[in-house]
Amino acid sequence: MRARKSQRKAGSKPNLIQSKLQVNNGSKSNKIVKCDKCEMSYSSTSIEDRAIHEKYHTLQLHGRKWSPNWGSIVYTERNHSKTVHLSRSTGTITPLNSSPLKKSSPSITHQEEKIVYVRPDKSNGEVRAMTEIMTLVNNELNAPHDENVIWNSTTEEKGKAFVYIRNDRAVGIIIIENLYGGNGKTSSRGRWMVYDSRRLVQNVYPDFKIGISRIWVCRTARKLGIATKLIDVARENIVYGEVIPRYQVAWSQPTDSGGKLASKYNGIMHKSGKLLLPVYI
Ligand SMILES: [Zn+2]
């Protein structure tokens, strides 16, 4: 659905009379509109397209419903009083828990935030829910739909999926890939990427222990530190009894926003003055 290029001006309102005339002329009455909230382009005259948009729209803005029974809890946060968020747009400091979600749900008095690990061997629906989220997330990131083997294998642990839950909704996800083999040896997948040019540094193969295959946060929960929290908690829970250091985390195909996050999280300044990001291929 991302590939469908809008033939008309984004946001143009459907004109029912015109579409009727088009039907009479025997041509397809596709009215392509672009939602200014989730940025999806779709045909407003197609029932199927509208249903896909509705699902995508809700996930993009508010995340997906998540059962309290799904996932194994690796982190909980109940008291946010000390955590503050500096808003870039207004310069004001607001508590982390005064999220847009809460504003739209005034009935919720108790707010719990937690991060869970998705268990591939459970048939209670958590794997299916995670797979569904990933289908829509990959569409947004324009990423291939090939990451599920990393986290949902019941025979071989290539990595793990973690989900950030707020008010029974999955508002963020991270998929972590192990970059070392069973013998403890690191793979040769690590590289340095020059942040400005997105070019890989040639002939240098740094050792990184884990890779971020996918990371995503729904729109109403962005800029609250959720992505950083997901990486931090994943570093502590990917290998039993071990905390992977921040500099051992590599990024896969960083998007513009992913690159920005990477540069702040663990980019390093080379002596040439160029900022380098740890990545893997
Ligand atoms: Zn939308």
Side-chain angles (χ1 to χ4, degrees), residues 34-42 53-54 56-58 60-61:
K34 188 177 178 185
C35 174
D36 58 0
K37 292 207 171 72
C38 74
E39 292 176 23
M40 179 184 168
S41 296
Y42 63 101
H53 168 246
E54 182 133 348
Y56 182 78
H57 186 95
T58 307
Q60 278 301 326
L61 268 69

